[in-house]
């Protein structure tokens, strides 16, 4: 019999094998200073394009004031206990009601964390006779929720309606045999590519297939739609989304999440979500802070307008300079380059150390081998000066990638890793 840990000693995984070279710099980096468009990294000032603070609320003085006052009034423990037992308050209810109204649903329910809540919601919605059909590029929290499902599940090709149709045909035949139902899951905005899910086309399929539609709109909430209600509002199909999910960790710059649906569905979920039934209630300081943030989303449209001024400037500037930003239809701005993981490390170090630009790096196995993805998150706190400096820096690092500078710089690293 093998030692359980033998596999760990032998294989650290496709990312873990780079830990000695990457940790503390490329992964698990330590940004310092107040959350903003410019922070410090290892003592240097950098333009930060890696913070999901879309509307610039994280360090907004009004938000900081409310958060501080709520902390003094309630502390970080109140209320104690799970919602069903002793952790329920009028303010929790108020926030739920306001969130439901904002996203045009009958009811909503607060979740302690987005990841945990998504996993638990999928688990509660389906039984073993049901079938799940979901986008192959779905976020890890969706994949982990699907893993809990004891019944059948199918993936469809990313944003491919023909593929979805084929899988719905398979699911329909199977559901007729099992006596179950079908749950289709998409994201409102896919956080790596920036593409919106094809929600409108998926909703159209309801005319031919009997399924319920669950949308994870973490990146769309607050950034898309006339009022900021998300990708469903943007595409004109919010009413046709059966269960809507969003997190506070992006536009709301906080912790927590929520689901919204018809009241009867929410009533069922709040009595069957294991992650909420057996976990401490969302603390009051976060609830009060979320109420303030939601009010700002409703009453300060200039926040979203400022965000999109930066998004448009950055994305149009990159395209004008010949960069591949894929097919993003959101604030998420991916920049695709060709190169190895060692070249990517050399490129990002150059970008941070010599150009003062901090953005996230994504490599294999998240994306195919031979590609480098620099993922950028514009915010309302960025300026057009930030955009210009960044575009100039990207011109420079692309030239060094193409002429082999980063390949030469990374040769020693490749040798050390035996690649």
């Amino acid at each position: 019999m093998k030692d359980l840990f033998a596999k760990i000693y032998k294989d650290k995984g496709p990312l873990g094998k780079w830990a000695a070279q990457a940790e503390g710099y490329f992964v698990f980096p330590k940004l310092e200073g107040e959350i903003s468009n410019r922070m410090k990294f290892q003592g240097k000032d950098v333009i930060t394009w890696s913070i999901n603070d879309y509307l610039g609320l994280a360090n907004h003085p009004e938000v900081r004031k409310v958060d501080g006052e709520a902390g003094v009034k309630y502390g970080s423990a109140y209320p104690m206990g799970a919602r069903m037992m002793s952790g329920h308050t009028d303010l929790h209810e108020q926030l739920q009601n306001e969130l439901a109204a904002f996203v045009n649903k009958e009811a909503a329910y607060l979740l302690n964390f987005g990841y945990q809540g998504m996993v638990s919601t999928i688990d509660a919605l389906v039984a073993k006779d049901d079938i799940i059909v979901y986008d192959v590029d779905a976020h890890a929290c969706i994949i982990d929720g699907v893993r809990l499902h004891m019944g059948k599940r199918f993936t469809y090709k990313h944003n491919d309606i023909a593929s979805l149709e084929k899988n719905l045909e398979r699911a329909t035949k199977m559901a007729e045999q099992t006596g179950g139902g079908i749950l289709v899951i998409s994201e409102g905005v896919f956080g790596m590519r920036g593409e919106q899910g094809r929600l409108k086309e998926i909703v159209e399929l309801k005319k031919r297939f009997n399924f319920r539609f669950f949308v994870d709109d973490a990146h769309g909430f607050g950034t898309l739609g006339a009022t900021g209600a998300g990708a469903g509002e943007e595409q004109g199909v919010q009413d046709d989304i059966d269960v809507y999910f969003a997190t506070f960790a992006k536009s709301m710059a906080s912790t927590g999440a929520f689901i919204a649906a018809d009241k009867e569905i929410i009533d069922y979920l709040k009595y069957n979500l294991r992650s909420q039934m057996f976990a401490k209630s969302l603390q009051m300081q976060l609830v009060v802070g979320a109420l303030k943030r939601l009010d700002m989303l409703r009453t300060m449209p200039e926040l979203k307008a400022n965000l999109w001024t930066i998004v448009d400037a950055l994305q149009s500037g990159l395209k004008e300079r010949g960069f591949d930003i894929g097919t993003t239809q959101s604030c998420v701005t991916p920049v695709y380059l060709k190169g190895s993981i060692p070249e990517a490390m050399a490129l990002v170090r150059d970008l941070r150390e010599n150009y003062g630009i901090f953005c996230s790096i994504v490599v294999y196995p998240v994306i195919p081998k031979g590609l480098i993805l620099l993922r950028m998150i514009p915010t309302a706190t960025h300026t057009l000066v930030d955009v210009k400096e960044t575009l100039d820096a990207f011109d420079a690092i692309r030239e060094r990638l193409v002429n082999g500078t980063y390949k030469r710089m990374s040769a020693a690293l490749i040798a050390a890793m035996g690649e």
Side-chain angles (χ1 to χ4, degrees):
M1 183 173 66
K2 289 184 177 179
D3 176 2
L4 176 68
F5 291 168
K7 59 182 176 294
I8 297 175
Y9 299 135
K10 182 180 180 181
D11 183 4
K12 302 298 183 184
L15 292 179
K17 71 177 183 178
W18 298 99
Q21 293 78 19
E23 192 161 325
Y25 195 93
F26 303 102
V27 295
F28 301 103
K30 299 172 185 176
L31 284 167
E32 298 176 326
E34 294 185 342
I35 297 172
S36 187
N37 59 319
R38 295 184 182 239
M39 299 174 70
K40 284 190 178 294
F41 178 64
Q42 297 197 343
K44 292 185 172 65
D45 291 326
V46 291
I47 302 173
T48 52
W49 296 101
S50 293
I51 305 296
N52 289 324
D53 181 26
Y54 286 120
L55 300 179
L57 298 182
N59 200 41
H60 194 287
E62 291 185 39
V63 167
R64 291 281 293 266
K65 181 175 183 291
V66 169
D67 285 351
E69 290 173 349
V72 170
K73 183 174 181 178
Y74 296 105
S76 60
Y78 183 80
M80 287 299 294
R83 291 283 295 283
M84 291 183 74
M85 303 299 291
S86 56
H88 189 63
T89 73
D90 287 340
L91 289 178
H92 284 74
E93 284 190 355
Q94 179 184 340
L95 178 55
Q96 288 173 171
N97 291 337
E98 292 190 17
L99 285 165
F102 186 71
V103 298
N104 197 36
K105 295 296 179 187
E106 281 187 353
Y109 194 63
L110 291 180
L111 307 170
N112 294 342
F113 294 98
Y115 199 111
Q116 168 207 60
M118 173 58 73
V119 169
S120 194
T121 300
I122 294 172
D123 179 52
L125 285 172
V126 292
K128 64 180 179 63
D129 293 332
D130 300 324
I131 295 94
I132 300 175
V133 184
Y134 65 106
D135 193 295
V136 71
D137 277 5
H139 189 270
C141 66
I142 295 173
I143 294 171
D144 284 353
V146 171
R147 282 175 175 171
L148 290 178
H149 180 43
M150 293 183 291
K152 291 292 185 179
R153 65 263 194 165
F154 303 118
T155 58
Y156 62 91
K157 295 177 183 177
H158 174 60
N159 263 352
D160 187 323
I161 299 302
S163 176
L164 174 56
E165 285 187 71
K166 181 183 292 185
N167 281 283
L168 279 172
E169 289 169 357
R170 296 169 66 195
T172 298
K173 291 178 182 178
M174 189 164 293
E176 288 170 350
Q177 295 173 354
T178 65
I182 300 172
L183 179 68
V184 172
I185 308 175
S186 176
E187 295 189 45
V189 172
F190 289 85
M192 199 61 63
R193 302 172 186 249
E195 297 167 334
Q196 291 183 42
R198 296 179 66 180
L199 310 186
K200 189 171 184 178
E201 290 94 330
I202 295 173
V203 164
E204 276 292 306
L205 292 177
K206 283 189 171 186
K207 295 176 181 177
R208 293 175 47 209
F209 300 96
N210 183 15
F211 64 88
R212 293 294 185 172
F213 191 23
F214 184 15
V215 174
D216 172 357
D217 204 24
H219 289 274
F221 177 73
T223 68
L224 294 174
T227 70
E233 181 182 53
E234 177 82 9
Q235 298 184 34
V237 293
Q238 185 73 358
D239 291 346
D240 299 295
I241 295 171
D242 296 297
V243 181
Y244 178 89
F245 167 95
T247 175
F248 299 159
K250 308 295 190 295
S251 291
M252 298 269 272
S254 186
T255 299
F258 72 97
I259 45 176
D262 291 347
K263 184 178 185 301
E264 191 166 355
I265 304 305
I266 294 299
D267 284 345
Y268 169 81
L269 288 172
K270 73 182 185 182
Y271 281 91
N272 290 278
L273 284 171
R274 294 172 63 83
S275 68
Q276 308 307 305
M277 295 167 66
F278 301 103
K280 184 182 179 298
S281 173
L282 192 67
Q283 70 186 62
M284 188 66 87
Q285 183 181 12
L286 295 173
V287 173
V288 172
L291 281 165
K292 175 61 179 178
R293 290 162 169 81
L294 181 58
D295 182 62
M296 294 173 74
L297 261 66
R298 284 190 304 242
T299 63
M300 299 175 65
E302 65 270 20
L303 296 172
K304 186 161 74 76
N306 292 343
L307 165 65
W308 278 96
T309 295
I310 299 302
V311 173
D312 291 340
L314 179 64
Q315 293 184 357
S316 62
L318 286 165
K319 286 189 285 188
E320 286 167 5
R321 294 175 186 230
F323 286 94
D324 179 7
I325 65 170
T327 54
T328 180
Q329 303 156 309
S330 69
C331 304
V332 178
T333 305
V335 178
Y336 297 95
L337 299 167
K338 292 182 179 180
S340 65
I341 291 178
E343 284 178 293
M345 290 180 173
L347 179 154
V348 170
R349 186 178 292 277
D350 193 21
L351 200 58
R352 293 177 182 177
E353 298 298 324
N354 298 315
Y355 297 97
I357 307 296
F358 188 101
C359 59
S360 297
I361 175 177
V362 183
V363 293
Y364 177 82
V366 180
I367 59 175
K369 284 184 177 179
L371 281 181
I372 302 168
L373 168 58
L374 300 177
R375 179 175 177 265
M376 306 177 71
I377 302 294
T379 74
T381 64
H382 283 101
T383 68
L384 295 177
V385 171
D386 296 335
V387 172
K388 175 65 166 60
E389 288 185 25
T390 300
L391 293 173
D392 290 344
F394 269 53
D395 276 340
I397 59 107
R398 177 176 56 185
E399 173 63 24
R400 304 193 81 190
L401 179 65
V402 170
N403 68 24
T405 298
Y406 297 135
K407 181 174 285 189
R408 292 189 293 274
M409 291 171 63
S410 64
L413 180 59
I414 296 173
M417 293 301 298
E419 293 290 306

